[in-house]
């Protein structure tokens, strides 16, 4: 993407007061995008947005509002709510997503057994989003396994981002957001492949637990992208 | 595992005349294990076994035979057949696997669309194997994404091996085979997580195709195992 990204694209981060959402919002605000932090509780979103502006010494137009307002005003909408709020949040912003891209970060974790892959009947959270939103919204899935601790710093993140999506164009646009966040992304194919991206989080939680780590991630090897 | 592994463990590689199977058989033979190469066509297995012995300058007891004979004589059985032969091969050796570990390397690739994850109704090839074999056989899944070209050389393989299994002990035994093959392995949790390991192969095929590579793999980052 060339030129000033803030003119081109407004990004909404629904559930943007959570740790993952706040970290991603920070990275995009830092890259110059106009970022809308959304929350069920607008006051919390306003507070998080103010924190991000402060972290960037005032050099950001990030603002907070309700999830619905954020979805209405954005060109691209990123969903970072816990799986328990996935369907409810999507249904509440459905009409606002017409003609837009939804980037789903959700992992369908069962809290009592987070180390075991347990997908919803649709096959993955991203496919469930597709079923809820219908054909007028393009869906991508990405950013599932990025440790939020890294995102709020300038640290190098030693974890690649796999991106699936309902169309090649959707994946390409999402990969631009990955790059804007300072991360390395890979086109991981059609939306049906989302089970791998989401389930990898369960696998990495298992690895963290067994090998006494907190930030297990993955890197793609054997490919020279450039 | 301490001492001479060839005394402790005989490994059968069913479908061992294929590229992946031959590469794994070579690595284990090189590590000192007694390896049985199995095939539907015993003459082919005998030829492959002779090639492995030759590659090791005669310093190996690797022999070839039918899949059933190999399964009967081994302590641990590795399945490296194409998905089209998965069920048929398992049914043909079912009784020989009683009380043993089956390490399933199979990826349910649909040849016309190899870049898209398409799992069988059981959830993954490994879970299908569990359903076919019943409770008297422990199942592990591993080695799905290792490029066979690397295995037949002494080259460093820049791809980690994720291991799922029906029990902790099964995963631990399989991780010993991973280490014996000169590879880095990780306990990836219960057999239900196999969809991630198998589907990752579809994702890596997509990456190979889009980024003009042939050996895309993955490494786990952020964890110090030792």
């Amino acid at each position: 993407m060339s030129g000033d990204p803030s003119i081109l694209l407004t990004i909404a981060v629904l559930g943007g007061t959570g740790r993952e959402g706040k970290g991603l919002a920070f990275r995009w605000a830092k890259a110059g995008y106009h970022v809308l932090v959304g929350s069920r509780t607008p006051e919390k979103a306003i507070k998080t947005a103010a924190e991000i502006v402060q972290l960037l010494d005032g050099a950001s137009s990030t603002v907070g509002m309700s999830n619905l307002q954020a979805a209405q005003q954005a060109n691209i909408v990123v969903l970072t709510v816990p799986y328990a709020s996935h369907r409810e949040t999507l249904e509440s912003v459905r009409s606002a997503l017409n003609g837009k891209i939804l980037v789903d970060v959700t992992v369908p974790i069962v809290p009592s057994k987070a180390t075991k892959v347990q997908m919803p009947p649709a096959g993955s959270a991203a496919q469930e989003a597709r079923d809820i939103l219908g054909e007028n919204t393009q869906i991508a899935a990405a950013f599932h396994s990025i440790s939020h601790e890294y995102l709020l710093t300038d640290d190098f993140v030693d974890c690649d981002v796999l991106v699936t999506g309902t169309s090649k164009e959707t994946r390409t646009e999402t990969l631009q957001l990955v790059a804007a966040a300072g991360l390395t992304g890979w086109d991981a194919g059609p939306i049906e492949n989302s089970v791998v991206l989401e389930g990898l989080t369960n696998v990495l939680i298992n690895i963290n637990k067994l090998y006494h780590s907190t930030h297990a991630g993955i890197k793609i090897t054997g490919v020279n992208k450039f």
Side-chain angles (χ1 to χ4, degrees), chain A:
Chain A
M1 189 169 292
S2 60
D4 180 352
S6 65
I7 296 171
L8 296 170
L9 210 59
T10 297
I11 308 175
V13 182
L14 310 189
T17 58
R19 297 181 300 184
E20 189 81 16
K22 184 180 176 184
L24 289 169
F26 168 75
R27 288 270 173 145
W28 289 317
K30 188 162 172 273
Y33 286 89
H34 184 46
V35 177
L36 311 177
V37 175
S39 171
R40 276 187 299 190
T41 315
E43 307 83 66
K44 285 190 188 172
I46 291 164
K47 183 166 172 284
T48 297
E51 287 166 3
I52 290 171
V53 172
Q54 192 172 23
L55 281 169
L56 294 168
D57 296 324
S60 167
S61 60
T62 303
V63 288
M65 56 190 69
S66 73
N67 281 327
L68 180 59
Q69 287 173 307
Q72 285 167 337
Q73 295 177 30
N75 307 103
I76 189 161
V77 178
V78 180
L79 182 64
T80 64
V81 297
Y83 182 65
S85 305
H86 186 249
R87 174 176 292 276
E88 178 194 338
T89 306
L90 286 171
E91 286 174 347
S92 73
V93 299
R94 191 178 188 281
S95 59
L97 296 179
N98 256 336
K100 298 179 182 175
I101 293 174
L102 177 86
V103 181
D104 201 342
V105 184
T106 309
V107 177
I109 286 179
V110 178
S112 60
K113 189 68 182 169
T115 58
K116 181 174 164 180
V117 174
Q118 293 183 77
M119 292 292 145
S124 62
Q127 286 163 286
E128 196 171 47
R130 184 193 55 186
D131 293 349
I132 293 167
L133 297 175
E135 286 182 3
N136 291 328
T137 303
Q138 295 289 321
I139 316 285
F143 303 108
H144 307 86
S145 301
I146 302 296
S147 289
H148 61 88
E149 286 93 340
Y150 289 137
L151 292 172
L152 279 174
T153 68
D154 292 333
D155 287 358
F156 168 70
V157 179
D158 196 20
C159 182
D160 287 356
V161 177
L162 299 172
V163 176
T164 55
T166 46
S167 71
K168 178 77 186 162
E169 294 67 33
T170 301
R171 296 193 291 274
T172 302
E173 277 215 48
T174 306
L175 284 165
Q176 288 173 344
L177 292 192
V178 175
L183 304 166
T184 300
W186 301 92
D187 184 332
I191 200 74
E192 290 82 359
N193 293 3
S194 304
V195 57
V196 175
L197 283 55
E198 297 175 17
L200 203 48
T201 303
N202 301 103
V203 167
L204 292 172
I205 290 171
N206 191 64
I207 287 174
N208 276 334
K209 193 175 160 191
L210 291 178
Y211 300 94
H212 311 292
S213 55
T214 53
H215 296 90
I218 64 141
K219 294 286 289 182
I220 297 296
T221 61
V223 186
N224 190 349
K225 266 178 99 170
F226 306 102

